[in-house]
Amino acid sequence: MLFDFIIVESCPKIISRSEWRAQQPNCTYHLSTPVTYAVIHHTAGSPCSTRLSCISQVKSIQKYHMTHNRWCDIGYSFLIGGDGNIYEGAGWDNRGTHTANYNIEPSMAAQNAAKSLIGCARSKNKLQSDYVLKGHRDTKTTLCPGDKLYRIIQSWPNYKA
Ligand SMILES: [Zn+2]
């Protein structure tokens, strides 16, 4: 028997916009992929540990970004809940916008979800093979992500300040 070239798409389950009942974006900007950078942020707001409470956080972040910041849509490409779930934000093919700072250590489930999302982005060729992982504060003057998460991501593959 021959088992070769079996392509396994190693993507975690992502809770889609329709599953969390996102509002339609007011505008979108196409992102050409694969992209060079994966940038990690912290969101501001209460922690969440269940799908229900995380969905309510994601919805309120989208509302804040669209009404207060007057952005087209939720600013993040994907959001990872304290429940370990990945929530689709602007998604793979739309450009996000980002801000915010907060200093907590994310749950192991959330950290693992972030790593598997990066692996997924590689397997879908949405992220270049020589991608660079950065924290938001490596790209501009901000306290995002907070000290604890910032320290954690520095040990992740491909991190470069
Ligand atoms: Zn940020």
Side-chain angles (χ1 to χ4, degrees):
M1 274 202 264
L2 201 65
F3 294 98
D4 62 349
F5 300 113
I6 297 171
I7 295 168
V8 178
E9 187 152 307
S10 57
C11 284
K13 154 127 187 86
I14 295 172
I15 295 175
S16 69
R17 293 175 68 96
S18 62
E19 286 175 281
W20 62 266
R21 301 223 203 106
Q23 288 181 51
Q24 284 291 105
N26 291 327
C27 39
T28 54
Y29 295 98
H30 184 75
L31 182 70
S32 349
T33 56
V35 297
T36 312
Y37 296 105
V39 183
I40 305 283
H41 298 270
H42 250 141
T43 61
S46 336
C48 63
S49 57
T50 63
R51 178 174 163 137
L52 203 66
S53 62
C54 290
I55 284 180
S56 126
Q57 280 291 312
V58 171
K59 288 171 89 72
S60 76
I61 290 167
Q62 185 188 31
K63 190 172 176 196
Y64 187 82
H65 285 178
M66 291 176 74
T67 58
H68 181 270
N69 295 357
R70 299 179 179 283
W71 293 346
C72 294
D73 193 0
I74 191 163
Y76 308 110
S77 305
F78 296 92
L79 299 93
I80 294 165
D83 62 346
N85 278 314
I86 300 168
Y87 297 86
E88 182 185 22
W92 298 117
D93 297 313
N94 295 307
R95 201 175 72 195
T97 317
H98 34 241
T99 184
N101 68 80
Y102 199 59
N103 190 24
I104 56 154
E105 184 170 322
S107 65
M108 270 326 283
Q111 293 180 41
N112 290 335
K115 289 180 182 166
S116 66
L117 182 62
I118 292 169
C120 169
R122 276 293 309 124
S123 76
K124 291 170 101 65
N125 200 35
K126 297 293 184 181
L127 193 58
Q128 292 178 11
S129 55
D130 59 348
Y131 77 92
V132 176
L133 180 75
K134 284 181 177 294
H136 189 191
R137 61 162 89 173
D138 298 320
T139 70
K140 64 179 271 201
T141 310
T142 166
L143 293 174
C144 173
D147 291 338
K148 289 178 180 161
L149 177 57
Y150 188 55
R151 214 171 300 127
I152 290 167
I153 65 170
Q154 288 174 351
S155 68
W156 290 7
N158 293 42
Y159 175 81
K160 208 174 281 172

